[in-house]
Amino acid sequence: MNNSKPHIIVEGSVEFKLGELDGNQIIYDFDKMLIYLNAKGRLLFGAKFKTFEEDREILFKLCNYFIKDEANCKRLDIDINKGILLSGPVGCGKTSLLKLLRYIVPHQKPYKMIPARNIVFGFNHIGYKTIEDYGDDHFFCFDDLGVEPIGRHYGKDCNVMGEILLSRHDLFVEEKIKTHATTNLNARELEERYGQRVRSRMRELFNLIAFDNASKDKRT
């Protein structure tokens, strides 16, 4: 990316203009952002990828969050200092969108997408160091939160992601380090999975953006 033109992203030989530069501020154009997201999505996920009109409201919220449009975020009740918890039914496109949206702001610190179940598998092999590894200043997006198994190391059970969320909350409070996540679970199911204390911390850690429960499975 050319830092003198942060509103223009180049993919191969094609330039995508996401808005206009006004001094040192980008005035983003949502429809132009959607054009780029569709093009980048096809590069990442294959020729069949597309965004759906029914998801336009979700995409509008997510785009405004990532570009840090304070006025729109305030109107949408989104705190740009918190992370995103993107919830919705299986196959609605949560993971693809959070993999994709980081590309519209290449000048911002990126986050790593990590499946929650992989973190638990790591814990089962090497123990509590796995939890410590997520207590640093990296930005993470935990994918499929809530459907991972309980961790077990040397015969001791551990709610691995619950412990990690507590440490990520501490990082957020102390250093404003963001965490994102996707989940198929609703608020009640998350509380059953992680307990009231973790659920309370999650409210402070995340903005909840939710697909409609009737959202279709886009993988079919």
Side-chain angles (χ1 to χ4, degrees):
M1 184 195 65
N2 184 343
N3 285 331
S4 66
K5 296 181 179 179
H7 60 306
I8 296 174
I9 298 177
V10 178
E11 296 289 347
S13 60
V14 182
E15 279 193 353
F16 294 90
K17 196 173 182 182
L18 304 189
E20 300 294 335
L21 206 55
D22 182 10
N24 60 357
Q25 186 178 12
I26 303 172
I27 310 300
Y28 284 95
D29 181 315
F30 180 56
D31 287 317
K32 289 178 179 176
M33 292 166 77
L34 286 183
I35 290 169
Y36 172 68
L37 289 172
N38 276 289
K40 185 65 175 178
R42 287 191 291 273
L43 288 172
L44 290 174
F45 309 122
K48 291 184 178 179
F49 177 86
K50 64 176 180 176
T51 59
F52 290 80
E53 183 61 31
E54 70 203 54
D55 298 335
R56 189 177 175 90
E57 184 182 344
I58 293 270
L59 280 161
F60 185 72
K61 288 179 179 179
L62 290 169
C63 283
N64 277 283
Y65 169 82
F66 278 102
I67 65 175
K68 299 182 178 178
D69 185 317
E70 293 188 23
N72 270 335
C73 283
K74 188 173 182 181
R75 184 171 59 80
L76 295 164
D77 197 26
I78 294 171
D79 184 340
I80 59 174
N81 297 307
K82 293 182 179 184
I84 291 290
L85 176 62
L86 188 59
S87 75
V90 172
C92 68
K94 304 179 297 295
T95 300
S96 297
L97 287 184
L98 281 185
K99 282 182 176 176
L100 182 58
L101 276 152
R102 54 190 169 175
Y103 290 99
I104 64 173
V105 283
H107 50 290
Q108 291 183 22
K109 182 176 178 176
Y111 51 87
K112 296 179 183 177
M113 295 281 295
I114 314 279
R117 64 197 298 270
N118 289 8
I119 297 172
V120 174
F121 293 154
F123 173 87
N124 293 345
H125 284 292
I126 64 174
Y128 287 87
K129 184 182 182 301
T130 301
I131 295 173
E132 292 168 14
D133 286 346
Y134 292 94
D136 62 19
D137 63 356
H138 285 95
F139 287 3
F140 293 105
C141 179
F142 300 127
D143 194 28
D144 269 344
L145 187 67
V147 295
E148 74 281 355
I150 288 289
R152 172 166 280 208
H153 187 66
Y154 284 117
K156 283 191 174 182
D157 286 352
C158 177
N159 192 328
V160 176
M161 291 309 302
E163 293 297 324
I164 288 174
L165 288 170
L166 289 174
S167 68
R168 297 298 297 180
H169 175 265
D170 290 343
L171 278 170
F172 172 68
V173 171
E174 293 163 13
E175 302 178 44
K176 298 301 176 197
I177 303 297
K178 286 184 182 178
T179 304
H180 306 303
T182 71
T183 186
N184 302 332
L185 305 187
N186 60 33
R188 178 182 54 78
E189 291 167 329
L190 285 168
E191 188 163 321
E192 287 175 2
R193 181 72 175 78
Y194 297 114
Q196 195 171 2
R197 182 176 172 227
V198 172
R199 178 67 189 124
S200 172
R201 301 297 188 275
M202 288 175 74
R203 289 189 189 96
E204 296 174 31
L205 192 58
F206 297 121
N207 294 285
L208 175 62
I209 296 180
F211 281 88
D212 191 283
N213 286 335
S215 291
K216 65 184 180 185
D217 189 333
K218 299 179 177 73
R219 299 173 303 182
T220 56

